[in-house]
């Protein structure tokens, strides 16, 4: 028989399962309070990327964006 009602969260059921298995309950993920610390603990690394937009295209390399910009400029100058 399940002692939990349908209104109880999955966290409560997981805590009971961990307790019965002799493990400490998992710490709930609180994104607003300590997301950065938890991400580091889990091995998730934040990476900031630069993107360059040229017309409808997006590039991660500046050289590619510049080459496209030059191609677009050359097309605009054609009669």
């Amino acid at each position: 028989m399940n002692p939990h009602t349908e209104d109880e969260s999955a966290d409560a059921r997981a805590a009971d399962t961990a307790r019965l298995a002799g493990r400490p309950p998992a710490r709930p993920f609180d994104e607003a309070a300590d997301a950065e610390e938890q991400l580091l603990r889990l091995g998730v690394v934040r990476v900031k990327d630069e993107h360059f937009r040229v017309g409808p295209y997006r590039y991660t390399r500046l050289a590619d964006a510049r080459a496209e910009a030059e191609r677009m400029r050359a097309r605009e100058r054609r009669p």
Side-chain angles (χ1 to χ4, degrees):
M1 179 170 178
N2 185 358
H4 298 285
T5 66
E6 289 183 29
D7 293 337
E8 286 186 287
S9 70
D11 289 339
R13 290 189 299 275
D16 279 351
T17 301
R19 181 181 51 79
L20 291 172
R23 298 184 313 250
R27 186 171 146 203
F29 186 74
D30 183 358
E31 189 171 358
D34 59 352
E36 201 66 34
E37 182 272 327
Q38 288 191 19
L39 291 174
L40 287 173
R41 184 174 51 83
L42 294 170
V44 177
V45 179
R46 183 183 309 259
V47 178
K48 296 181 181 180
D49 283 336
E50 285 187 321
H51 288 83
F52 305 94
R53 290 188 183 194
V54 180
Y57 305 107
R58 195 170 87 173
Y59 298 91
T60 56
R61 293 186 41 205
L62 178 58
D64 294 337
R66 183 177 179 181
E68 177 60 23
E70 290 172 357
R71 286 190 297 269
M72 289 177 80
R73 181 176 283 176
R75 283 191 297 263
E76 290 172 359
R77 291 183 179 167
R78 288 186 199 160

